[in-house]
Amino acid sequence: SGDKPNDDNEIQAVCCTKVGSCLWFAVSRGVKTLSLYSIPDAESNIEGGSEETTKLLYPSAIYNLPKRARSLAFTSVDDLQVIVAGDLSGDAIAFPVPTDAPSSTCDENKAVKAMSTPKRLLLGHTASMLTGLSVVSNDQQQQFILTADRDEKVRISYFPETHIIHGYLLGHSSFISCMDAISNERSLCLTASGDGTSRLWDYQTCKEVGMLPVVIKKSDGGEMEEVDDEGKPTPEEVDDEGKPTPEE
């Protein structure tokens, strides 16, 4: 709402990966920074959740961003590890992962400061913010970068030669709210949209594989309710006595 104060430290996106013997975490925040944390794999196996085992970690590196980043993805180019950030201006930007940097520390006196660093602009969506980003490979070991935006499409570009476009996933009639993709024997991408559908795609052939409608409409009482494929209200969940179950 308009009365809610802006929190510059609000987390916009997170992702993680394993590089060598370390786990790397990336966190983008509303203050337009990208923080990278590294933890030796042996130290990540903490059992239990008591306060005694909770650690406050400071980043191994902090990068300044031109705009807030709402999607992140780790990948590699040859032997270089990079983190790709998709921002609100529609750009996908690659930053180096400092694998030779010290692990994240609990010592506030050793905390690093945000810095500007050489970065590479991979691609841009004209006048549309990025809502999803993923770097994947097909069964021929070709790498692609998939970028979704608020203009109803997913662009598939070769990686790192991102100026070469493989194709587009077209079919949604409203903005794409989120996207994910996997690399295995099948090249699959899943999207969700403001048009009330989730769609499954083959990003190698740029064809739609399936579609699931999740339509929301107003009930007679003016409240929003889910409907099925035929536009009929979905059955209400009830308990063993036939009474409606309370919402969590």
Side-chain angles (χ1 to χ4, degrees), residues 155-169:
R155 181 198 297 184
I156 307 167
S157 308
Y158 286 91
F159 185 84
E161 299 85 3
T162 52
H163 62 281
I164 305 175
I165 299 176
H166 175 69
Y168 294 89
L169 305 181

Side-chain angles (χ1 to χ4, degrees), residues 17 34 90 97 117 119-120 126 147-148 156 161 166 201 225:
T17 191
L34 174 61
V97 175
T117 187
K119 54 185 179 291
R120 176 183 172 185
T126 304
T147 47
I156 307 167
E161 299 85 3
H166 175 69
W201 313 80
E225 62 179 8

Side-chain angles (χ1 to χ4, degrees), residues 9 24-29 31-38 57-65 83 95-98 101-102 104-105 108 110-118:
N9 284 317
W24 280 88
F25 299 85
V27 180
S28 66
R29 299 183 183 275
V31 71
K32 295 188 290 188
T33 59
L34 174 61
S35 302
L36 300 180
Y37 301 81
S38 65
L57 292 178
Y58 293 91
S60 299
I62 306 176
Y63 298 139
N64 288 313
L65 299 171
I83 175 72
F95 295 85
V97 175
S104 296
T105 178
E108 184 176 3
K110 296 181 180 180
V112 299
K113 296 182 179 180
M115 61 180 176
S116 298
T117 187

Side-chain angles (χ1 to χ4, degrees), residues 145-217:
I145 178 170
L146 280 65
T147 47
D149 64 23
R150 292 186 65 86
D151 285 341
E152 309 157 10
K153 68 181 182 295
V154 176
R155 181 198 297 184
I156 307 167
S157 308
Y158 286 91
F159 185 84
E161 299 85 3
T162 52
H163 62 281
I164 305 175
I165 299 176
H166 175 69
Y168 294 89
L169 305 181
L170 303 174
H172 283 296
S173 60
S174 186
F175 63 89
I176 295 176
S177 56
C178 57
M179 177 203 73
D180 200 3
I182 59 173
S183 303
N184 58 9
E185 295 180 357
R186 297 194 65 184
S187 306
L188 297 177
C189 171
L190 182 65
T191 57
S193 168
D195 62 12
T197 66
S198 293
R199 297 173 188 256
L200 186 65
W201 313 80
D202 185 326
Y203 59 78
Q204 179 67 42
T205 62
C206 297
K207 299 293 185 181
E208 182 180 313
V209 177
M211 184 269 287
L212 175 66
V214 186
V215 182
I216 305 294
K217 73 172 187 178

Side-chain angles (χ1 to χ4, degrees), residues 128-158:
S128 184
M129 60 180 286
L130 295 187
T131 57
L133 183 152
S134 185
V135 181
V136 292
S137 59
N138 61 10
D139 56 1
Q140 300 174 4
Q141 299 305 307
Q142 293 175 311
Q143 277 194 299
F144 299 103
I145 178 170
L146 280 65
T147 47
D149 64 23
R150 292 186 65 86
D151 285 341
E152 309 157 10
K153 68 181 182 295
V154 176
R155 181 198 297 184
I156 307 167
S157 308
Y158 286 91

